[in-house]
Amino acid sequence: MFRMISDIGTDAMKDEAKLARMNTLQSDIEGIYAKATVSFSDGQTLALEPGLTQLMASSRNYTKLQEAWIGWRDNTGKLMRDKYADFVTLSNEGVSSLGYHDTGEYWRSWYESPTFEPDLQKLLEELKPLYSNLHTYVREKLMDLYGRDKFPTSGQIPAHLLGNMWAQQWNNIYDLVIPYPDKTSVDVTPELKNQSYTPLRMFRTAEEFFKSLGLLPMPDRFWNKSIIVKPTDRKMVCHASAEDFYNQKDFRIKMCTDINMEDLVTIHHEMGHIQYFMQYKDQPVPFRDGANPGFHEAVGDTLALSVATPKHLQTIGLLNSVENDEGSDINYLLSMALEKIAFLPFGYLIDQWRWSVFSGETPKDKFNDKWWELRCKYQGVSPPVERTSTDFDPGAKYHIPSNTPYIRYFVSFVVQFQFHKALCEAAGQTGPLHKCDIYRSKEAGTKLGDMLRLGSSKPWPYAMEALTGQPNMSAKALMDYFAPLTAWLEKQNAGKQVGWQDACSNQRHAPLSANEQQAKKWLTEYNM
Ligand SMILES: CC(=O)N[C@@H](CC(=O)O)C(=O)NC[C@H](CC1(C(=O)N[C@@H](Cc2ccc(O)cc2)C(=O)O)CCCC1)C(=O)O
Ligand SMILES: [Zn+2]
């Protein structure tokens, strides 16, 4: 049901004027985000894609990163706080006539579970040790690079140093934290460029994976009507998206494709939505949805877990040699953890914040305090500079101005490992889960297709059981996948201060004295 009446106001809002006002606020807020750029002190002006995204990914200049981080928030969130508060009020009025207390309760209803919130909390708690170990390992490396005096004594990592505008995934700082630099590195971005991959060839490569499982190819109309490169003749919101036109033949992706590994994964993600649209196209319209929104987000990412393996990348000619030793294995698992484990607290906290706003628990003057309370506590990241209540940092993340629910991604990052495990078993793959590649397995494709064709015609636990043999969300498959890395990180972090205090402190660590630096250098060399 989440897709049919997602802009709930259309059906329920009796007062046309209020509906018009809500839609005006929503499009004003989205317009602020879409037009935002950052002008730097050196005269350069960058938009989010590709400029700021590439800067946050590749710059190692503390001050430049900080300027981009502050500038983006000044030109997005800061300009929308009051409008957002008004939007929240009208959105809640819209759903109240449907019998929901507030918009958050309506959004949670799509998961059809009275224990949805405690289930999520339990999953995050189970995954916290793994996240803390990754956080500690990365923090140590970043402290060495940027200096301890940049880091708060409470243990958080400054949010602008993690290779991403929102610190939501840390794959772009892999080069700063790679455990065994002389072993296979799995980043195939240079190879994609060497082989002059085009956006179209990246899309065709993804389609070929789906077809190898016996799943449906992209129809001609998809190829004719999709937009896969940033247009030059007009403005377009570059944030990738997949659209279902509900006419059983029109399905499209819009995306400003960059030639890199991150976008190859995103293409699989978007194509996963298209595959789901096509598989349930013959269901009655109300059932042309994912079993729940998290399932819809998990399809493409599940297949990308196979595609990203060194073995698969070698199969498709993007990696020439694969070394099967512990070092290469840890390198690969760490690169996957920077994308998947790093994301978990972020994926969880966005709607914890938003639900608290919709419920009235967090009033306008507390919007930003609540945001940083959650960011400091769950994600262990801190603002590089002091934030005030007139800032509105949640508004700097696409899904807040676009009013797109987010807990679906937390659900997806958990269930995609359950799906992967089930498909690997169907494909007869018996080795470690992180080495499994279901490429060309018709058994796996049939099992997945059968689940996708259900759409939302059955409750999601039924679909979960059909695919995995049991009805619940479970962190076990994810923890099995990363088990070798967990052991390695625990060894690396032995003797280190693991974790952080709930609240961010303003106090920074003192810089190392000269002989402390010398001692650290000897220790590092000795340990090596
Ligand atoms: C009509 C409509 O609304 N269509 C929906 C789909 C549907 O509901 O049918 C849709 O196209 N939504 C766009 C959204 C785009 C992306 C996104 O926003 N991702 C999250 C989190 C994340 C990050 C990494 C990752 O690997 C997976 C997820 C972020 O970037 O923060 C951008 C990159 C990937 C997915 C999407 O595809 O989910
Ligand atoms: Zn998606």
Side-chain angles (χ1 to χ4, degrees):
M1 286 302 273
F2 70 96
R3 195 175 298 281
M4 294 310 298
I5 42 176
S6 56
D7 55 337
I8 182 68
T10 321
D11 300 1
M13 187 86 81
K14 293 286 166 285
D15 179 340
E16 291 309 308
K18 280 188 175 178
L19 170 63
R21 172 124 177 81
M22 185 178 90
N23 289 331
T24 305
L25 287 166
Q26 166 80 45
S27 60
D28 288 354
I29 291 166
E30 285 194 278
I32 291 168
Y33 189 88
K35 292 186 185 64
T37 59
V38 174
S39 297
F40 291 84
S41 46
D42 66 5
Q44 199 186 21
T45 294
L46 295 178
L48 181 64
E49 294 196 34
L52 292 171
T53 302
Q54 285 173 351
L55 189 156
M56 295 305 290
S58 54
S59 171
R60 302 297 180 240
N61 176 314
Y62 185 91
T63 311
K64 184 80 173 174
L65 287 166
Q66 181 174 286
E67 197 177 1
W69 190 92
I70 295 170
W72 179 249
R73 281 151 185 79
D74 285 349
N75 296 338
T76 54
K78 195 164 189 137
L79 305 177
M80 31 170 118
R81 190 195 70 162
D82 295 350
K83 284 179 186 281
Y84 189 76
D86 294 346
F87 169 80
V88 165
T89 306
L90 291 167
S91 179
N92 283 341
E93 286 178 20
V95 300
S96 64
S97 52
L98 270 188
Y100 294 104
H101 173 267
D102 62 71
T103 306
E105 190 189 62
Y106 168 55
W107 287 4
R108 291 189 298 274
S109 71
W110 300 329
Y111 294 86
E112 299 171 312
S113 159
T115 61
F116 185 52
E117 287 190 75
D119 292 347
L120 296 169
Q121 199 173 354
K122 183 167 160 289
L123 288 168
L124 190 73
E125 271 152 27
E126 287 172 359
L127 295 164
K128 173 118 184 165
L130 180 45
Y131 179 78
S132 294
N133 273 316
L134 177 68
H135 179 279
T136 300
Y137 174 76
V138 168
R139 182 183 58 200
E140 291 299 311
K141 294 278 186 182
L142 293 177
M143 284 174 111
D144 288 348
L145 177 66
Y146 291 108
R148 302 165 56 78
D149 57 318
K150 301 287 192 311
F151 289 70
T153 51
S154 48
Q156 282 81 5
I157 300 172
H160 64 311
L161 303 179
L162 288 157
N164 175 278
M165 183 59 88
W166 309 279
Q168 71 180 66
Q169 288 168 299
W170 306 345
N171 40 297
N172 291 314
I173 58 162
Y174 177 61
D175 59 305
L176 301 182
V177 301
I178 186 167
Y180 301 97
D182 55 336
K183 292 288 178 191
T184 314
S185 140
V186 79
D187 178 17
V188 292
T189 298
E191 195 47 36
L192 285 166
K193 293 180 171 154
N194 286 347
Q195 297 185 24
S196 346
Y197 261 74
T198 61
L200 183 59
R201 189 174 168 199
M202 288 165 74
F203 272 76
R204 283 290 183 191
T205 300
E207 181 195 35
E208 203 277 325
F209 193 94
F210 283 84
K211 287 183 350 187
S212 82
L213 303 180
L215 292 171
L216 301 168
M218 298 294 120
D220 290 348
R221 291 171 75 110
F222 168 86
W223 297 109
N224 298 334
K225 302 273 190 176
S226 291
I227 300 173
I228 63 173
V229 291
K230 184 168 188 168
T232 49
D233 61 340
R234 77 192 107 151
K235 280 252 179 225
M236 181 179 90
V237 175
C238 270
H239 197 85
S241 76
E243 299 287 336
D244 182 357
F245 288 76
Y246 285 95
N247 58 15
Q248 298 177 306
K249 54 181 185 297
D250 228 339
F251 314 96
R252 299 176 201 171
I253 288 172
K254 71 148 172 69
M255 179 173 169
C256 304
T257 309
D258 243 343
I259 308 301
N260 60 44
M261 183 67 186
E262 194 169 0
D263 275 15
L264 185 61
V265 171
T266 297
I267 289 166
H268 285 84
H269 178 97
E270 297 308 330
M271 213 168 261
H273 287 307
I274 303 290
Q275 186 66 219
Y276 216 159
F277 297 152
M278 294 195 295
Q279 290 285 353
Y280 60 53
K281 69 177 174 45
D282 302 321
Q283 286 283 356
V285 170
F287 294 152
R288 290 187 201 165
D289 275 351
N292 73 38
F295 276 47
H296 228 296
E297 298 309 334
V299 179
D301 279 14
T302 300
L303 270 55
L305 288 173
S306 287
V307 172
T309 58
K311 181 172 68 176
H312 185 80
L313 294 171
Q314 185 184 41
T315 306
I316 60 175
L318 283 173
L319 205 59
N320 45 34
S321 73
V322 173
E323 289 161 278
N324 267 320
D325 57 60
E326 205 236 358
S328 306
D329 223 20
I330 292 298
N331 279 353
Y332 175 64
L333 277 168
L334 191 88
S335 75
M336 291 305 289
L338 294 174
E339 189 189 324
K340 301 292 182 181
I341 302 297
F343 179 81
L344 295 169
F346 182 80
Y348 179 81
L349 72 83
I350 298 259
D351 280 351
Q352 295 300 321
W353 177 82
R354 207 158 18 180
W355 294 342
S356 82
V357 168
F358 282 134
S359 71
E361 175 201 328
T362 303
K364 176 164 74 171
D365 63 319
K366 290 277 180 271
F367 279 174
N368 221 44
D369 293 347
K370 179 71 177 175
W371 173 256
W372 283 107
E373 178 196 308
L374 296 171
R375 288 268 270 177
C376 294
K377 176 182 177 188
Y378 287 115
Q379 219 184 338
V381 301
S382 51
V385 293
E386 188 72 25
R387 307 309 283 160
T388 72
S389 63
T390 56
D391 291 311
F392 180 54
D393 294 332
K397 176 61 191 169
Y398 171 82
H399 297 72
I400 302 294
S402 69
N403 199 41
T404 309
Y406 208 82
I407 199 68
R408 59 187 57 181
Y409 297 112
F410 178 79
V411 170
S412 162
F413 275 53
V414 171
V415 304
Q416 68 187 242
F417 287 92
Q418 295 177 259
F419 293 0
H420 183 56
K421 188 176 168 79
L423 296 182
C424 290
E425 281 158 11
Q429 297 261 329
T430 50
L433 193 52
H434 69 280
K435 288 182 180 281
C436 159
D437 173 14
I438 63 170
Y439 190 44
R440 296 187 179 131
S441 165
K442 299 292 184 284
E443 296 80 1
T446 302
K447 209 161 168 62
L448 181 59
D450 289 351
M451 188 275 276
L452 298 179
R453 253 190 306 292
L454 293 171
S456 59
S457 64
K458 295 272 200 264
W460 68 263
Y462 177 96
M464 176 65 90
E465 179 140 32
L467 184 59
T468 69
Q470 62 77 46
N472 306 305
M473 286 190 287
S474 162
K476 189 179 177 313
L478 188 155
M479 290 161 82
D480 288 352
Y481 180 101
F482 286 104
L485 181 69
T486 308
W488 186 83
L489 284 171
E490 282 164 355
K491 259 200 341 267
Q492 288 297 311
N493 292 337
K496 299 274 189 334
Q497 167 73 29
V498 178
W500 59 90
Q501 294 159 19
D502 281 0
C504 287
S505 69
N506 296 333
Q507 200 190 356
R508 297 279 186 279
H509 284 285
L512 284 181
S513 66
N515 55 28
E516 275 173 328
Q517 263 164 359
Q518 190 53 44
K520 190 173 177 61
K521 210 158 105 29
W522 281 332
L523 267 179
T524 314
E525 276 151 23
Y526 175 73
N527 284 351
M528 290 310 270

